[in-house]
Every structure is written in C-alpha cells, then in structure tokens.
Amino acid sequence: MTHPAVNFAAYQLGWFALVLSAAAQKSWMGIALGLVVIGAHLWAVRRSAERRLIGTAFVWGLVVESGFQATGLLRYSSGFDSVTWVAPLWIVTLWALFATTLRHSLRWLLHRPLLAAVLGAAFGPLAFRAGEAMGAVQFAPDRWTSYLGLAVLWGVSLPALCLITGRQRPIAEVPE
C-alpha cells in the first residue's frame, strides 16, 4: 500500500467505488470499500501521524463539503435527506482516502506548495466534473461559481494538507 503505484491504484479504486456507488444511490457500498482501502493502508503504514493526517482530512472534508452543500454550490447524491446542509459520508470518506496518497503517490508534492496550489486549483474541479458526469454530484446552476469555488478550495486545501503532512513527519524522513 505504500509503493506509489499501488497507493495510486488503491486510491483510484476507492475513488471510483465511492463516486459510482453514490451515483447509484448505494453509497454504503463505496464507503465500505473506501474504509477497507483506508484500513489496509493504515495497517501497512502503522504510524500515528498517518492516522492523524487521515482524521484531519476527514474533518476538513466534512466542514468544506458541508459548506458547499449548504450554499448550494454543489449537491451530492446519496446525502442526508433530513439534514440537507451536511455533506454525505461518501464524499468525506473520499477526503480521508485522498489523505492516504500524500506520503506515498503524491509525496513528490510535499515540499512544493506553489505547485500543489496550482495543481489543486486545476485538478480539483476536474475531479468533481468527472463525479458530476457519473451522476454523484450536481453543480450550481451557474456552473462557473461552482468551478471557481472548487478551484479556490483545492488551491488552498492541497498545499495545506501537504504542509500538515510535512509538519507531522518532516519531509526529510519521507523516502524519495
């Protein structure tokens, strides 16, 4: 799970499972697989810093995705019908799953905050666009507002998560 190629493949498997199951209104299936991937990752890594990083990403994802949901910039499939402003568990699990890549398949990005900001701002919205095409999320009627919000979110979040990752475990200890 720590080899960059295996880590990337496991993340991609989890991403597709979470997004496709949410689109099919069976998000529990993707959540289950996502938690298995995260559990296998934690078992392989066995570091408290990795657990803290994943927990931090989970909480951050809950806050920001709930904000997007509450403002109407995004609307998720398989959400909580009774509490419409709370982000669904599948998208928050996706944040935790993403955190598993930071010390492994994305470790080359840890000490490059400007590049992380640019890549986050560019590819964050593209990932959500792919999720929209699969039916897991809907953008606001003014699509560009959603794109801009996602670009800002990921342009800030990716370098912030890289910074947190580097502080929890110095970059010098991250194997190249």
Side-chain angles (χ1 to χ4, degrees):
M1 294 299 287
T2 61
H3 186 278
V6 173
N7 178 256
F8 179 75
Y11 171 74
Q12 290 300 307
L13 173 69
W15 189 93
F16 278 104
L18 285 158
V19 171
L20 291 172
S21 68
Q25 301 296 314
K26 296 179 192 288
S27 62
W28 63 270
M29 295 170 74
I31 293 167
L33 181 65
L35 292 175
V36 166
V37 171
I38 292 167
H41 175 80
L42 288 172
W43 180 83
V45 173
R46 296 184 186 175
R47 288 187 199 110
S48 61
E50 197 78 1
R51 289 190 300 275
R52 286 192 310 271
L53 176 63
I54 291 169
T56 299
F58 183 89
V59 171
W60 179 246
L62 177 62
V63 170
V64 298
E65 298 297 347
S66 293
F68 272 91
Q69 177 100 340
T71 60
L73 288 176
L74 296 174
R75 193 171 73 212
Y76 299 100
S77 297
S78 296
F80 298 106
D81 293 331
S82 59
V83 188
T84 57
W85 56 270
V86 176
L89 187 55
W90 71 266
I91 191 71
V92 180
T93 303
L94 191 50
W95 277 84
L97 184 65
F98 180 74
T100 66
T101 66
L102 293 171
R103 284 195 179 93
H104 307 288
S105 57
L106 291 181
R107 70 178 174 230
W108 54 272
L109 202 53
L110 288 181
H111 53 278
R112 295 177 175 99
L114 183 58
L115 182 58
V118 169
L119 293 176
F123 290 105
L126 289 176
F128 276 79
R129 175 60 189 103
E132 182 190 39
M134 294 177 192
V137 64
Q138 289 181 327
F139 285 23
D142 176 14
R143 302 179 64 73
W144 290 106
T145 305
S146 295
Y147 282 124
L148 179 61
L150 287 166
V152 170
L153 167 69
W154 278 98
V156 170
S157 295
L158 186 54
L161 287 170
C162 287
L163 178 66
I164 290 166
T165 303
R167 285 197 174 164
Q168 288 182 345
R169 180 175 175 217
I171 291 171
E173 292 181 31
V174 177
E176 294 290 1

